[in-house]
């Protein structure tokens, strides 16, 4: 194996192979529960051609390729084995082309979502996908998982903004999956096939995104309810009033209390639930929507309604919301963020079910999520060095996933499957659908060298 590493070093690509250097690349942000296996080595390609060299080398020498960005994945999506070449894409972080007239931007995979947003917003344009860790979340990872975030209710997820990808296939061939135009129905939609494929079909080396005009302004409403049922009713009432917020998020009592302990911002901690609602658009439209929104929420049973009046107040509320995951780390040393999705009408039985399952196994949970599209994220505070707690958490996960499926939902809205949810995939997919997905994997990757043991 060392001889193989020595050969890789001759490819003129930066390589790490010392144990102390490669150990951090053995895991992502998913909770650790199995044996940690460092990769064979970690390589830092600078170009599409570098990626191609490494893939061809891996294929010829019985190795596998694990693409890696910022490793903020919660499902062990970039977990290697001892025959893995980890492709760390941090040297591919350039904006290649920004065309204001065509409303497109072409970037390398390690450009962060935040950098894309800041770049285009200076020119009055907008890239809406908004993962909570957008400051470090890379566009390659966002495409690989079709990441969403709070604004997905109005604008959709990453898949709705990707128009072309440059991909290096397991064969070493390089393809472009689409084109750089807004409309394209020429042949099969390979762009959508690779978006959300979690690095199992090829390595993305360039991403072309469509952009839209930036909304003139935004305003945030934070409203509190005495029951989860009334909060869920508030969600439906807002939508039925033909108000289309950019964000419609739910936070339960445990989440409110935990955020306030970690990052005091004046949240009310004695209420069972809160909704965070953001509307955007022209000044006149925001004024109209906010007045209507206030009345709708009052009728829905909101006991306290706070509406921002400035961008500073917007940011204060959002800072509290974005700190939810970090806040849970203050309870116990490990945090597992899960991700299930149901129809809006099933949010209450899902949230109540999560609370019951967690209580049954004595697991602490803080529940939040994107109520507008039914994507709920329970954050579990854990001590995974405690074998009993680890065992109980596995039971919680299985019951959680079964509950989501029983309610007509699915295993993931935006975090993907990785290796963590792989054992539960047949809960959500029909046998025939699963069979053809596996056939697609075999077609592109007959030797299973691309991110093996994920999904299937």
């Amino acid at each position: 194996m060392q001889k193989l590493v020595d050969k890789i070093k001759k490819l003129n690509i930066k390589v790490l192979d010392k144990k102390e250097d490669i150990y951090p690349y053995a895991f992502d942000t998913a909770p650790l529960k199995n044996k940690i296996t460092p990769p064979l080595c970690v390589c830092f390609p600078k170009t599409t051609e570098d990626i191609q060299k490494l893939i061809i080398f891996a294929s010829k020498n019985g190795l596998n390729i694990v693409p890696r960005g910022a490793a903020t994945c919660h499902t062990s999506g970039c977990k290697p084995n001892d025959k893995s070449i980890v492709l760390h894409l941090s040297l591919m972080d350039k904006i290649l082309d920004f065309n204001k007239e065509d409303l497109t931007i072409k970037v390398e995979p390690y450009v962060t979502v935040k950098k894309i947003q800041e770049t285009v917003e200076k020119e009055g344009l907008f890239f809406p996908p908004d993962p909570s860790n957008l400051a470090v979340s890379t566009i390659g990872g966002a495409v690989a998982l079709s990441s969403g975030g709070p604004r997905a209710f109005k604008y959709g997820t990453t898949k709705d903004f990707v128009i072309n990808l440059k991909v290096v296939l397991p064969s070493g061939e390089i393809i472009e999956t689409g084109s750089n135009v807004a409309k394209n129905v020429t042949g099969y939609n390979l762009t959508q096939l690779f978006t959300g494929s979690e690095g199992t079909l090829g390595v993305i080396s360039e991403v072309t995104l469509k952009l839209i005009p930036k909304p003139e302004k935004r305003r945030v409403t934070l409203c509190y309810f005495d029951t989860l049922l009334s909060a869920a009713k508030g969600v439906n009432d807002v939508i039925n009033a033909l108000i289309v917020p950019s964000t419609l998020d739910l936070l339960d009592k445990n989440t409110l209390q935990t955020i306030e302990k970690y990052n005091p911002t004046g949240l009310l901690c004695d209420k069972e639930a809160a909704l965070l609602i953001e509307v955007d658009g022209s000044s006149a439209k925001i004024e109209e929507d906010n007045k209507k929104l206030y009345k709708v929420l009052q009728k829905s049973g909101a006991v306290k309604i706070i509406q921002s009046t400035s961008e500073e107040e917007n940011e204060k509320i959002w800072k509290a919301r974005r700190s939810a995951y970090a806040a849970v780390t203050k309870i116990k040393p490990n945090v597992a963020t899960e991700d299930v999705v149901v129809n809006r009408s099933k949010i209450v039985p899902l949230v109540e079910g999560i609370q019951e399952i967690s209580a049954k196994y004595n697991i602490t949970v803080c529940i939040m999520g994107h109520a507008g599209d039914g994507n709920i994220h329970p954050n579990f505070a854990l001590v995974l060095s405690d074998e009993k707690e680890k065992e109980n958490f596995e039971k919680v996960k299985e019951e959680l996933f079964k509950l989501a499926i029983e309610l007509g939902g699915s295993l993931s809205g935006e975090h993907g499957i990785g290796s963590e949810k792989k054992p539960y995939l047949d809960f959500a997919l029909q046998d025939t659908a699963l069979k053809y997905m596996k056939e697609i994997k075999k077609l592109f990757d007959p030797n299973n060298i691309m991110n093996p043991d994920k999904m299937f």
Side-chain angles (χ1 to χ4, degrees), residues 429-448:
L429 297 175
Q430 295 176 336
D431 290 344
T432 304
L434 191 56
K435 180 184 80 170
Y436 279 102
M437 288 183 187
K438 291 178 179 179
E439 289 297 321
I440 291 170
K441 167 70 170 171
K442 288 178 184 177
L443 175 65
F444 280 93
D445 187 17
N447 297 321
N448 194 29

Side-chain angles (χ1 to χ4, degrees), residues 8-49:
I8 293 171
K9 290 179 179 179
K10 294 178 181 178
L11 297 175
N12 197 28
I13 298 168
K14 180 182 175 182
V15 180
L16 299 179
D17 64 330
K18 292 181 180 179
K19 288 182 179 180
E20 62 270 26
D21 291 332
I22 63 176
Y23 181 81
Y25 299 90
F27 47 85
D28 54 21
T29 56
L32 307 177
K33 61 183 177 65
N34 296 323
K35 181 183 177 184
I36 297 171
T37 306
L40 174 66
C41 63
V42 181
C43 295
F44 296 80
K46 292 182 179 179
T47 65
T48 299
E49 290 68 31

Side-chain angles (χ1 to χ4, degrees), residues 345-379:
S345 60
K346 302 297 184 183
I347 286 176
V348 172
L350 175 64
V351 171
E352 290 178 342
I354 294 169
Q355 291 173 332
E356 290 171 8
I357 293 167
S358 300
K360 176 180 173 182
Y361 294 103
N362 195 30
I363 297 291
T364 302
V365 65
C366 298
I367 302 171
M368 49 176 278
H370 316 312
D373 51 31
N375 189 192
I376 299 300
H377 298 295
N379 292 326

Side-chain angles (χ1 to χ4, degrees), residues 29-31 74 325-326 328-330 332-337 379-382 384:
T29 56
H74 293 287
Y325 175 80
V328 182
T329 65
K330 298 295 181 179
K332 291 184 178 182
N334 303 110
V335 180
T337 294
N379 292 326
F380 297 97
L382 304 161
L384 291 178

